[in-house]
Amino acid sequence: MLDGSPEQLHAYLDLQPFSRLGRYAEKLLAFYFQYRGTLIGHGVQVRAGQGGTIGEFDFLLRNGSALVHWEFATKFYLLEPTGSGREADYFIGPNLADTLGTKMRKILDRQLLLAQHPASRIHLPQPVASAQALIKGWLFYHENDVSPDRSLGVSEQHCRGFWCSLSELDSIAGERYAILPRLRWLAPAKLDWETVLDAPTLRETLAGHFDANTMPVMVAVVERDAGCAIETNRGFIVPEDWRFRARQRIRQAGESGS
């Protein structure tokens, strides 16, 4: 129904501008829960007097007569198997800020326990019956890397793409490409065909980017369909030293346990 008449969703999202992908994804999910009539609270901060913020409930939801707490995250991780450390830490964010392991430990060891803190009680209409985590996003693999062990809790049907360095770009099958800004990372792209790039232009654009920036770039491989560019694959193109820096970050995560 929203595809044909999205005005209600657009009005909901226009309440604030978005610069962070995670907040944008949270707002979309909040709209869904509100639309279904199950949303009790979203982004509820818990403070302890003058001691600052203890934490935040991403979602408080009604499940029948019960109150449930949901933690939600939208993440994008690249697999860099170093051969040491914990497997969940082999999945690392493109900006090297965190790993799948650090995110899971934060959610499981801290965020899902928020309802047990005494300061949270004034924010809850009734005791929380259960706490759950939902991590959505994409995992990206280099060449012939395999899927993670199922014990990590990653769905076999997870969204997946590739990653490669700029010098490896020729190994990616495709003839036309599009660079995706961060707020377009959530879903497969559908773009105006006139905006797409051929391989030489893409390579030149990325080389200019990496001259001044170390942040990997999300690229969609696209095909033409009725005048539109439809995504068929996606991945991160990384600077040449990214793998070295990623291995350092993974070792740090393993040594610190955080």
Side-chain angles (χ1 to χ4, degrees), residues 189-227:
K190 181 178 181 181
L191 307 165
D192 187 332
W193 182 256
E194 300 303 319
T195 65
V196 305
L197 308 174
D198 59 18
T201 305
L202 175 66
R203 182 181 298 279
E204 180 181 357
T205 302
L206 292 173
H209 169 82
F210 292 136
D211 280 344
N213 197 316
T214 61
M215 179 66 184
V217 176
M218 176 81 84
V219 169
V221 182
V222 298
E223 293 183 355
R224 188 167 190 162
D225 182 5

Side-chain angles (χ1 to χ4, degrees), residues 21-121:
L21 181 65
R23 286 298 184 186
Y24 176 56
E26 279 189 24
K27 197 68 175 179
L28 289 171
L29 191 58
F31 177 84
Y32 168 77
F33 288 136
Q34 181 171 295
Y35 190 80
R36 289 177 57 88
T38 60
L39 183 65
I40 303 300
H42 168 229
V44 179
Q45 290 194 352
V46 177
R47 300 181 182 275
Q50 301 298 318
T53 301
I54 301 299
E56 178 179 297
F57 291 105
D58 284 348
F59 293 100
L60 294 170
L61 306 171
R62 181 71 62 193
N63 183 13
S65 60
L67 179 67
V68 298
H69 166 206
W70 269 33
E71 283 298 310
F72 175 65
T74 303
K75 305 300 291 186
F76 298 78
Y77 292 116
L78 290 67
L79 176 61
E80 171 44 48
T82 65
S84 63
R86 290 165 291 196
E87 186 178 7
D89 288 320
Y90 297 165
F91 288 92
I92 187 165
N95 61 357
L96 309 181
D98 72 338
T99 69
L100 176 60
T102 58
K103 186 62 179 179
M104 291 173 63
R105 290 190 288 274
K106 180 179 179 181
I107 289 177
L108 296 176
D109 297 341
R110 291 173 49 193
Q111 293 173 265
L112 289 182
L113 303 179
L114 182 59
Q116 299 177 21
H117 196 285
S120 70
R121 294 172 184 168

